[in-house]
Amino acid sequence: MLSDPVTPTQITRGQRLWLYALVTLIALFLVVPCLLVIPMSFSGGTYLEFPPKSLSLRWYQAFLGSPEWRQATLTSLKSAGLTTVIATVLGTAAAWGIHQRSTVFSQGLRGLFMLPMLVPLILVAIGLFFLFSRLGLNGTLTGLVLAHTMLAIPFVVIAVGNGLSSYDMSQHMVAQSLGANGLVAFFTVTLPQIRISVLSGAVFAFITSFDEVVVGLFIASGSNETLARRMFSNIRDQVDPTVAAISSLLVGMVVIGMAVFMILQPKAKR
Amino acid sequence: MTGLADRMPSGRATRPEGINAPLLRRAARQEGIGFALLSLPGVIVVVLVLVLPMAWLFWMSAFDNAGNLSLENYERMLRPIYQRTFTTTFRIAFVVSIACGVLAYPIAYLMAQSGPRLSMLLMLCVMLPFWTSVLVRTYAWLVLLQRTGLINAALMDLGLISEPLALVHNELGTIIGMVHVMLPFMILPLYASMKAIDPALLLAAANCGATPAQGFRQVYLPQTFSGLASGISLVFVMCLGFFVTPVLLGGGRVSMWAQQISDNISLYGNWGAASSLGVVLVLCTAFVLGGMRMALAQIEKRGR
Amino acid sequence: MQGEVAIREISKSYGTYQALDHVSLDIAPGEFVTLLGPSGSGKTTLLNVLAGFIRPDSGSIRVDGQEFLTLPPHRRNLGMVFQNYALFPHMSVARNVAYPLTLRRVPKAEIARRVATALETVKMGHLADRPIQALSGGQRQRVALARAIVFEPAILLMDEPLSALDKNLREHMQIELKRLHDKLGTTTVYVTHDQREALTMSDRIAVLNHGQIVQCDTPSRLYDHPVNRFVAEFIGESSFLPVEVSGGATRLFGRPLALRERWSGHGTPLLLVRPEKLAWREPEGGGNRVDATATEVIYQGDSYFLNLELPGKSQIALRYNPHAAGGLVPEPGQTISFWLAPANTILIEDAA
C-alpha cells in the first residue's frame, strides 16, 4: 500500500504515513459496522453478542419462519418493484422531454423534479399521511407505490439526464433523417445508448423504495407494512437478533450488487 | 434603454410577415407541447403527492386548533421545550457536518491522489455504507455501542475503563451514527472536486518554489473549498430533518426537529404544531441551500 | 429526374441574432450545390432547415413541388451525413446501413442485397460485420455515406463530412465523393468552410455571410468574378488595391486602367489581385502595369513569399513563382514591375 504514489509535491514521507494511518481508520469506521452484523447474525444465543459464543442459523429461521416478516418482505419487494418500473418510465420520459428543450420552462420542470429530494422526509411523511387519510390510501400498496415513485423520480431524472448530457444528439437526428419517427428513433437508437444511465436510475429507484423508512412509518400500516418499517419498530422497541439476520441479508445483497457492478464495469467502458 | 425597447417590437411588427410564418409558429407551439407532455405524468405525480400535501401543511400551520386564522402555531415555537429541540438539532447538525468534513477530507484526498487500485479500494469502502440501508447501519451502531457492545467490551478488556461507558441512547451515540450515515455524502462531492484539479498545477507550484505544504495550502486547498462547502451544507441540511438514526440511537432522550414533528402527529394529533414546525424546517433548508449557492457563485465570480 | 429544390425567403432568428435572413436558392435535379461560409454564416442552419431539424420562422421549401416545411424529418426522405458521422455504436456496419431499409419494411433478402451494393459502392463490402468502434475515420465516413444513400433518397445532405479527416485522406475523399455523385446523380447539398473542397466538388457554390447568400455561382465564375471583397477573400488567395473613379474613368496609382468592361458598380471599387494572374513581363496586347518594391523575399521551396510595397504606401503579400517570371528572384529593396491583362483586371465592390 505504501508504494502507491501520492504526489510528492504535496506531502512528505512522514506525513504520508500519517495520512495512510488516518485513512485506514476512517475506512474501517465506514466498513466495519456494515460487515459486523454478518457474524453477529449467526449467533446461537438469545442476546446479541460479539464475538458470538456459539454459531447457529436460528435467527435466519426466525426470519423465514415468521409470517409477519415474510409478509413485510413481500410488501417491500412488491412496492420496490412497482416503484422501479413506474419511476423509471416516468423519470426517463421527463428527462428526455426536458433534455430536448433548453427553455426557462424546461429548467423549471427540472427544478420541480428535484423537489422530492430537497423536502425533508418527515414532512413528506406527515403530508402524505394527511392526504392519504382523506383519499383512503393509508395502508394500501397503491399509496405506498405512489409515494415511493414520487421520492424516486429525482434519482431517475438525474441519472438519465446525466446520460443524455453525454449522449450525442446527432445520433437521434440521423435516425430521424433515415426515416425513424421520434418514438422509433428513441427506442432503437437513443435508449440503447443511454441504457446504463437508465439502469442506474432504476437501481436508485429500487433502493429508494426498498430502504425507505420514514414515509412508510406513517402510511404503510397494517397488512401492507414494509420490511423497513417493521425493522424500525423492531429496533426501537426490542433489540431482536432477527434484525441482524435480515441486515446481513441486505448487506449481502449490496456486496453482491457491487461485485456484479465491478465485473460489468470494464465492459461498459470499452 | 426604454426608447430602444419600445421601438424594437413596433419596428418588427410593421415588417410584413414572411411566407408560412403563422403555420410555422403553430407547428413550433405543437412541438413544444409535445415535449412538455413527456414530462406530464411525472409532473402529475410530484404535484399530487408532494406539492399538494405540502401546500396543505403550509395552509394548516396558519390556523389554531379552533380553526381560526392565527400565528399561535408559530408563537408556540418560542416556548423553552421547542427552543431546546432547536438548539439540540442545530448543535448536532453542526457537529456532524464539521466531523464529516474533517473525516472526509483525508480519505477523499487519498482517493484523488493515489493510483487506481488503492483509489478503487477506498471507493468500495465508501460505496458499501452508501448503498447499505440506514436502518442496518443504525442497528449495527446500536449493537456496537451498547453497554455490553463490542466497543465497551474491548475498552474494558484493555483495562482502559472499569465501568462500561454510556455510548448510546444519548447525544454522543446519535452523533456517531449520524456521522457514519452522512460521511459518504460528504466524501463523494469532495472527491469529485479534488479529481477535477489539474495535477500540473501542483507541479507548477513546486516549480515556482513552493514547499509541499505551501503548494497544498495555497494551490490545492482553495480549489477544494467549493466541494467542501457544498458537501458540508448538504450534510447540515440532511441532519436538520433527519429522523431514523436520532430516534433509534437517541433512545428517546435526544429530541431532534423531525422527531418533534412526528410526536406532534402520532402522540398529540396536533397538526397545526407539526405543520408549523415543518414550514420552518423547509424554510431553514431552503435558506441554507440557497445561501450556499449564492456564496459559491460569489466565490466563482471573485475567482475569475 | 427527382430532387428539385426551391428554397424561398427562409428566415430564422434566435432572439436578436438573425441566423438566416430571407434566403432563397434553387437547386436543379442532380446538382451538387455547396453552402460555403465562415462559422456563424448560417450554412449549417440552412442545411438543418432542409433536413427538418431546425424550424425556420418563415419561408418555404419545395422539393419536387411538395412543401417540405410542415413535414417532420423522418418523412422528408433525405440522406444525411453528419460531421461526426453519427454512426450507431451499438450496431455493426451492416446493421447501420440496413437501418433505413428496416424502417421502410423492405423484405429481408432485398435489404441484404441493397446493403451489400451500398457498401460495395463505397468500397466497404469487406468490413460489413465489423463493429463501428473497429473502423478508422475514413472508413466511418464511407459507412455513413453508404447509410445515407442505401434508401435512394432524392436528396443527399452533407454537413462538413470530411472535416475530421487528415489532409491527404480529405483530398482523396473529395475526388471519390465527386465520382460517386457523378455515378448516382443524386441532388446533393454540401456544407463546408473549406473553399478548396467547395471548388473541387461543386456544380455551384453558394457563399453565405451573416445569414444571407452573398453570391451563388459556378466555381469558375465565383473565382474569377466575385461580386465583392468578402467573396474574393473567402475564395482563393487575393490582395486588393485601391482604385480611383472620376467621371467614369478608373485609375490605379494615377495611371488609367484598361478594363474589358466599364466599371458600373456602386461606390469605390477595389482591384482584385490574384497572384497566379499576374504577369511578370509585359503581356502581348498590353496590360496594366504596376511598379513595386520588394521589401521581403522568403524562400518557400516551390515558390517565394514576396511582400511588395506599392505607390501610396499600400502593401501586398503574395506567393511568387520564379519559374513564371523567367527565373527572376528579386533582392529585398529591388524595384520590380508586374502587369495585369485587361481580362484579368477585375474590379469588385468594397463590401467585406
Side-chain angles (χ1 to χ4, degrees):
Chain A
M1 243 175 129
L2 285 176
S3 61
D4 280 302
V6 167
T7 317
T9 42
Q10 286 169 70
I11 201 161
T12 60
R13 188 168 285 273
Q15 285 169 326
R16 202 184 312 174
L17 278 171
W18 279 109
L19 181 65
Y20 278 111
L22 187 60
V23 169
T24 308
L25 286 178
I26 299 170
L28 288 176
F29 169 75
L30 280 167
V31 172
V32 167
C34 301
L35 297 179
L36 204 71
V37 290
I38 296 174
M40 284 192 313
S41 69
F42 293 106
S43 159
T46 51
Y47 199 71
L48 277 173
E49 59 212 341
F50 188 90
K53 292 196 177 67
S54 61
L55 293 177
S56 84
L57 287 173
R58 62 183 287 194
W59 301 115
Y60 290 90
Q61 283 157 357
F63 169 55
L64 294 173
S66 146
E68 290 88 1
W69 281 115
R70 279 211 311 265
Q71 177 64 33
T73 310
L74 195 66
T75 302
S76 276
L77 285 175
K78 270 195 277 189
S79 146
L82 287 170
T83 299
T84 304
V85 173
I86 299 172
T88 306
V89 171
L90 297 193
T92 304
W96 178 236
I98 291 170
H99 182 72
Q100 292 187 68
R101 288 258 143 153
S102 54
T103 55
V104 180
F105 180 65
S106 66
Q107 289 310 307
L109 276 182
R110 196 193 300 269
L112 181 74
F113 283 122
M114 294 305 108
L115 272 187
M117 230 170 46
L118 299 175
V119 178
L121 272 176
I122 184 71
L123 264 179
V124 177
I126 64 166
L128 281 177
F129 180 57
F130 187 78
L131 178 77
F132 283 180
S133 65
R134 265 137 195 84
L135 299 175
L137 286 174
N138 276 331
T140 66
L141 189 65
T142 314
L144 196 60
V145 171
L146 210 54
H148 285 174
T149 300
M150 180 271 290
L151 290 175
I153 277 182
F155 298 105
V156 180
V157 171
I158 289 176
V160 177
N162 281 343
L164 285 172
S165 66
S166 56
Y167 168 67
D168 175 15
M169 279 301 278
S170 60
Q171 291 274 332
H172 188 73
M173 283 155 73
V174 86
Q176 286 180 290
S177 82
L178 294 172
N181 66 35
L183 202 66
V184 172
F186 179 78
F187 281 106
T188 55
V189 173
T190 302
L191 191 59
Q193 295 187 53
I194 58 165
R195 62 184 191 283
I196 304 274
S197 307
V198 176
L199 198 68
S200 72
V203 170
F204 265 105
F206 187 91
I207 302 267
T208 301
S209 170
F210 197 81
D211 286 351
E212 202 286 316
V213 184
V214 187
V215 174
L217 208 55
F218 281 82
I219 66 163
S221 49
S223 62
N224 278 314
E225 182 177 38
T226 60
L227 184 63
R229 178 191 155 118
R230 196 173 164 79
M231 282 172 74
F232 179 86
S233 321
N234 202 286
I235 298 170
R236 187 180 52 188
D237 303 336
Q238 76 211 68
V239 178
D240 172 359
T242 313
V243 176
I246 302 168
S247 296
S248 307
L249 291 174
L250 294 180
V251 172
M253 269 163 57
V254 171
V255 170
I256 291 169
M258 279 168 53
V260 169
F261 178 79
M262 289 276 286
I263 294 164
L264 292 180
Q265 180 70 351
K267 274 185 200 157
K269 259 183 193 161
R270 243 176 261 147
Chain B
M1 226 12 226
T2 34
L4 187 69
D6 284 345
R7 239 175 291 135
M8 288 265 290
S10 63
R12 208 176 266 172
T14 53
R15 222 162 124 183
E17 270 209 315
I19 311 168
N20 289 334
L23 183 78
L24 288 163
R25 266 204 305 276
R26 197 167 52 226
R29 215 167 29 239
Q30 278 166 357
E31 193 186 69
I33 292 170
F35 287 135
L37 280 179
L38 282 171
S39 305
L40 191 65
V43 170
I44 290 176
V45 170
V46 173
V47 168
L48 186 76
V49 187
L50 183 72
V51 178
L52 189 70
M54 283 308 112
W56 217 327
L57 287 183
F58 271 64
W59 177 253
M60 276 191 297
S61 72
F63 292 90
D64 63 16
N65 280 335
N68 301 315
L69 199 65
S70 85
L71 282 174
E72 186 197 315
N73 290 318
Y74 291 94
E75 277 160 12
R76 193 188 300 111
M77 276 185 235
L78 299 172
R79 290 188 203 159
I81 174 156
Y82 283 96
Q83 293 290 320
R84 216 167 49 235
T85 300
F86 291 143
T87 9
T88 311
T89 306
F90 277 105
R91 185 174 59 236
I92 291 178
F94 183 76
V95 172
V96 170
S97 38
I98 296 300
C100 281
V102 170
L103 292 180
Y105 206 94
I107 188 167
Y109 177 78
L110 197 58
M111 271 163 74
Q113 294 289 315
S114 57
R117 299 184 106 212
L118 179 58
S119 172
M120 179 56 105
L121 181 73
L122 290 174
M123 187 48 110
L124 287 178
C125 292
V126 178
M127 291 326 277
L128 182 67
F130 181 79
W131 288 111
T132 303
S133 157
V134 172
L135 268 181
V136 171
R137 291 189 276 158
T138 305
Y139 174 72
W141 278 111
L142 196 64
V143 175
L144 268 174
L145 296 174
Q146 64 189 346
R147 291 181 67 82
T148 55
L150 185 62
I151 291 177
N152 269 321
L155 290 176
M156 291 205 320
D157 283 353
L158 288 172
L160 291 172
I161 51 172
S162 51
E163 279 289 296
L165 297 172
L167 294 173
V168 77
H169 295 312
N170 57 19
E171 211 171 297
L172 179 66
T174 306
I175 288 173
I176 294 175
M178 281 172 79
V179 167
H180 188 254
V181 171
M182 298 295 173
L183 197 49
F185 293 101
M186 184 74 228
I187 294 173
L188 295 175
L190 198 54
Y191 170 67
S193 76
M194 286 175 174
K195 208 65 190 160
I197 297 174
D198 184 356
L201 285 177
L202 291 155
L203 296 179
N207 191 252
C208 293
T211 64
Q214 281 172 329
F216 178 78
R217 225 179 21 248
Q218 293 164 1
V219 178
Y220 198 86
L221 198 62
Q223 296 192 67
T224 57
F225 276 155
S226 66
L228 197 59
S230 59
I232 286 184
S233 59
L234 183 74
V235 168
F236 187 81
V237 161
M238 291 200 301
C239 286
L240 287 184
F242 206 39
F243 181 77
V244 176
T245 305
V247 169
L248 294 181
L249 292 181
R253 289 191 203 106
V254 181
S255 171
M256 282 183 75
W257 206 326
Q259 191 176 1
Q260 193 69 249
I261 294 176
S262 163
D263 286 350
N264 265 311
I265 299 295
S266 47
L267 299 181
Y268 314 117
N270 189 343
W271 284 93
S275 49
S276 58
L277 276 170
V279 168
V280 177
L281 177 57
V282 168
L283 292 181
C284 279
T285 304
F287 182 75
V288 173
L289 287 180
M292 191 61 245
R293 260 208 162 165
M294 261 156 47
L296 281 183
Q298 207 67 34
I299 289 170
E300 198 115 303
K301 224 188 276 168
R302 218 170 10 149
R304 287 210 181 117
Chain C
M1 200 165 179
Q2 280 196 327
E4 182 183 23
V5 185
I7 300 170
R8 288 283 172 279
E9 302 278 317
I10 291 287
S11 289
K12 175 71 186 175
S13 59
Y14 295 99
T16 57
Y17 172 68
Q18 191 81 26
L20 289 174
D21 187 3
H22 295 83
V23 171
S24 295
L25 179 66
D26 282 299
I27 301 170
E31 202 176 11
F32 194 122
V33 170
T34 296
L35 307 178
L36 178 68
S39 60
S41 61
K43 56 188 193 304
T44 302
T45 311
L46 184 57
L47 193 80
N48 278 315
V49 167
L50 265 175
F53 298 127
I54 291 177
R55 194 188 301 282
D57 300 329
S58 63
S60 157
I61 292 175
R62 287 180 173 275
V63 174
D64 298 324
Q66 189 193 9
E67 179 56 67
F68 246 41
L69 276 190
T70 46
L71 282 185
H74 66 275
R75 288 181 44 208
R76 298 193 178 198
N77 208 33
L78 306 165
M80 186 151 178
V81 179
F82 280 70
Q83 188 168 7
N84 61 2
Y85 318 136
L87 292 173
F88 306 135
H90 57 297
M91 300 182 190
S92 69
V93 167
R95 280 196 57 211
N96 260 282
V97 179
Y99 184 78
L101 300 177
T102 320
L103 291 170
R104 285 168 177 74
R105 306 192 191 288
V106 175
K108 258 195 170 157
E110 198 188 333
I111 290 184
R113 190 179 55 74
R114 282 168 73 176
V115 167
T117 315
L119 284 175
E120 224 40 72
T121 311
V122 296
K123 300 171 187 158
M124 285 289 293
H126 57 299
L127 296 176
D129 297 324
R130 290 280 175 93
I132 296 304
Q133 289 78 1
L135 301 185
S136 70
Q139 290 170 332
R140 287 176 195 213
Q141 162 65 50
R142 287 161 193 269
V143 176
L145 193 62
R147 188 177 63 177
I149 59 173
V150 72
F151 58 105
E152 290 162 13
I155 301 167
L156 192 56
L157 305 180
M158 295 197 236
D159 184 8
E160 310 213 16
L162 304 182
S163 61
L165 304 180
D166 66 52
K167 188 166 172 290
N168 285 334
L169 192 54
R170 195 158 65 221
E171 283 172 3
H172 178 73
M173 281 306 292
Q174 287 170 10
I175 307 289
E176 274 203 32
L177 278 181
K178 190 172 169 60
R179 279 190 202 137
L180 186 72
H181 175 254
D182 291 344
K183 184 173 151 195
L184 299 174
T186 311
T187 307
T188 303
V189 182
Y190 189 98
V191 163
T192 185
H193 63 264
D194 181 336
Q195 43 115 352
R196 186 161 297 277
E197 206 168 288
L199 292 172
T200 306
M201 298 196 288
S202 319
D203 294 323
R204 275 193 306 151
I205 300 172
V207 181
L208 280 93
N209 194 26
H210 299 310
Q212 291 177 316
I213 293 183
V214 185
Q215 185 174 7
C216 181
D217 252 321
T218 61
S220 65
R221 283 285 306 170
L222 214 56
Y223 189 86
D224 291 335
H225 298 280
V227 295
N228 63 19
R229 180 171 182 163
F230 173 78
V231 177
E233 274 184 334
F234 206 79
I235 296 181
E237 283 182 49
S238 46
S239 310
F240 303 93
L241 295 175
V243 176
E244 305 108 62
V245 186
S246 56
T250 40
R251 291 165 174 276
L252 179 69
F253 305 129
R255 288 191 191 143
L257 269 178
L259 294 172
R260 271 242 294 242
E261 288 166 37
R262 269 185 56 152
W263 167 250
S264 58
H266 304 284
T268 320
L270 289 173
L271 175 64
L272 168 65
V273 181
R274 300 253 196 227
E276 77 282 0
K277 306 259 164 154
L278 299 184
W280 298 95
R281 273 168 299 195
E282 182 159 11
E284 286 173 39
N288 297 303
R289 176 175 152 185
V290 180
D291 299 323
T293 310
T295 52
E296 264 179 301
V297 182
I298 297 164
Y299 177 66
Q300 289 189 326
D302 59 341
S303 59
Y304 282 81
F305 176 84
L306 278 191
N307 203 9
L308 300 178
E309 194 174 287
L310 302 166
K313 293 284 171 207
S314 52
Q315 299 222 343
I316 58 172
L318 48 84
R319 223 169 288 283
Y320 164 82
N321 190 341
H323 235 51
L328 170 79
V329 179
E331 296 287 317
Q334 188 181 339
T335 305
I336 55 171
S337 302
F338 60 83
W339 285 263
L340 279 164
N344 290 336
T345 309
I346 311 231
L347 297 187
I348 56 166
E349 284 181 29
D350 184 12

